[in-house]
Structure formats: C-alpha cells, structure tokens
Amino acid sequence: MKVDGQCHCGQITFEADIDPDGVRICHCTDCQTLTGSAYRVNVQTPAAAFVLRSGQPKIYIKTAESGTRRAHAFCPNCGTPVYSCTIADPPTYSLRVGCIRQRAELRPMRQIWCRSALPWSMDLRGVEQLSRQ
Ligand SMILES: [Zn+2]
Ligand SMILES: [Zn+2]
C-alpha cells in the first residue's frame, strides 16, 4: 500500500510502500517515553520503498537494555517522531503511523511488549468520549 506523510510543521515529508497487515503497537517503556504517550504505533517499509521527499531529520541513537543501538529520526523543528532504523545500512524503516496521512486505515494487527503496557491503555471503552475538546 502506498502511503505518504509529514511531520507536524511540514519540513519533513516522505512516501513509502507498506504492508497494512504489518501495523503494530509497541507498549515498551522506551516507546512510552519517546512518544510522550501510552504506546507507539509502527509499520515497516523496505528501505528501497522509502523516499524522503523533503527535510533532514535529526537522529537520536537509542541504546536498548539489550545493548542494541538504533537510530530514531525526528523533525529538528517540531519534534515529530518519523521513523527508526538500524544505524548502518538499514534494510527497513519503522515508520511512525501517527505521521502517515492514511493512518485511519492502518489498523494494528499485533501488540508487543504487553508486559509493560499501561493497564488502562488496553481498554478505553469506559472512558468518557467527546467529539472535540
Ligand atoms: Zn516538523
Ligand atoms: Zn517500543
């Protein structure tokens, strides 16, 4: 599926080809901190199918508990997380679904790191719903 996206300020724009069945939620504590939210939603794209159309992301190298180092790309102006990948020669990019224009169609198929999920984030049905703030 062809998708495109941009950061909040519009400096970074991109296009990619993704498998909509590969959308997943990550509940790890790093994703909670790095998103400033309850969990992250990702989808992978092969490097050959990812095109950065404009802008130059800033890279933060994250070292995991396991020692694995990973490049996290975000907009240097507005801070929107855009993707992560291996540091050298990435075979794939893990795109942040929140900045993909077609995100409403990208329903997650899997949740990982559920052991660190915020318990309340697993069921929001009982939370009051307003159509706007
Ligand atoms: Zn931006
Ligand atoms: Zn994570």
Side-chain angles (χ1 to χ4, degrees):
M1 173 180 171
K2 297 268 185 210
V3 296
D4 59 273
Q6 64 167 57
C7 66
H8 191 266
C9 78
Q11 268 185 27
I12 294 178
T13 59
F14 63 88
E15 293 171 9
D17 207 338
I18 57 117
D19 172 5
D21 289 341
V23 180
R24 62 187 195 175
I25 287 174
C26 184
H27 291 284
C28 83
T29 55
D30 284 347
C31 282
Q32 290 167 0
T33 304
L34 285 161
T35 60
S37 191
Y39 53 78
R40 196 194 303 269
V41 190
N42 290 311
V43 67
Q44 295 221 333
T45 182
F50 178 67
V51 183
L52 196 59
R53 285 283 175 219
S54 67
Q56 194 55 57
K58 186 167 166 56
I59 303 295
Y60 168 67
I61 305 292
K62 188 198 89 169
T63 305
E65 234 175 62
S66 62
T68 304
R69 298 171 73 218
R70 210 167 154 78
H72 285 244
F74 60 97
C75 174
N77 185 47
C78 69
T80 301
V82 182
Y83 63 83
S84 69
C85 61
T86 56
I87 293 173
D89 219 7
T92 60
Y93 289 83
S94 184
L95 300 176
R96 305 341 195 168
V97 168
C99 57
I100 295 176
R101 188 167 57 88
Q102 297 82 358
R103 59 189 175 272
E105 299 161 52
L106 302 178
R107 186 183 175 82
M109 301 295 275
R110 174 172 288 189
Q111 304 184 64
I112 61 170
W113 289 99
C114 289
R115 75 175 189 197
S116 50
L118 305 182
W120 54 261
S121 73
M122 304 304 268
D123 184 5
L124 297 175
R125 283 173 300 183
V127 181
E128 185 183 11
Q129 298 187 15
L130 309 175
S131 65
R132 303 191 64 153
Q133 70 171 6

